[in-house]
Amino acid sequence: QVQLVESGGGLVQAGRSLRLSCVASGDTFYSYTVAWFRQAPGKERDFVAGLSWNDGDTWYADSVQGRFTISRDNAKNTVYLQMNSLKPEDTAVYYCAADFSPLNRESGRQPGLYDYWGQGTQVTVSS
């Protein structure tokens, strides 16, 4: 069973960048699907970005395409979310999620299909 710990959140001005990290312990990310989701106050948890560890395929929500990049470091068993050109509407708690199932670009957007979640890290973007 894998445990996930996110870090890297904070308060930034619009237009700036942040990089979130998600470290796995208890197991490796090998063969997992890993994703980032976010949840703003009073809203549902939304998909942000996903990555297939086996083939490195990545996919993004339309709202972050071209601004955010999900990547991995095999040696560190870590997944990153590089967030550039941040906007106030990006403000949310960001969660790392993982599942041993080979989710694809469609199924990998569904939070209910992920078994493992981190505790979340707050990202606040001021205007």
Side-chain angles (χ1 to χ4, degrees):
Q1 183 170 344
V2 64
Q3 292 82 43
L4 307 176
V5 178
E6 305 99 331
S7 62
L11 171 64
V12 295
Q13 289 184 327
R16 303 297 293 270
S17 300
L18 276 177
R19 188 179 77 161
L20 306 183
S21 300
C22 173
V23 180
S25 62
D27 198 356
T28 67
F29 273 135
Y30 181 74
S31 293
Y32 278 76
T33 302
V34 186
W36 288 95
F37 290 81
R38 66 186 181 186
Q39 188 166 20
K43 296 188 177 181
E44 295 184 348
R45 191 167 296 190
D46 292 331
F47 168 79
V48 176
L51 179 148
S52 171
W53 204 266
N54 282 350
D55 60 16
D57 189 24
T58 59
W59 54 95
Y60 298 91
D62 289 344
S63 59
V64 307
Q65 181 77 48
R67 298 189 298 123
F68 291 12
T69 303
I70 187 171
S71 63
R72 63 184 180 181
D73 185 323
N74 292 357
K76 296 182 178 180
N77 211 29
T78 299
V79 173
Y80 301 101
L81 184 67
Q82 177 67 43
M83 305 185 295
N84 298 330
S85 301
L86 282 161
K87 304 175 181 180
E89 51 263 44
D90 294 319
T91 295
V93 177
Y94 283 70
Y95 296 91
C96 177
D99 196 82
F100 198 65
S101 302
L103 303 177
N104 58 33
R105 285 170 167 259
E106 294 303 318
S107 59
R109 299 171 186 266
Q110 305 304 318
L113 297 182
Y114 288 84
D115 286 338
Y116 305 105
W117 292 85
Q119 82 289 350
T121 185
Q122 176 71 46
V123 172
T124 303
V125 184
S126 63
S127 57

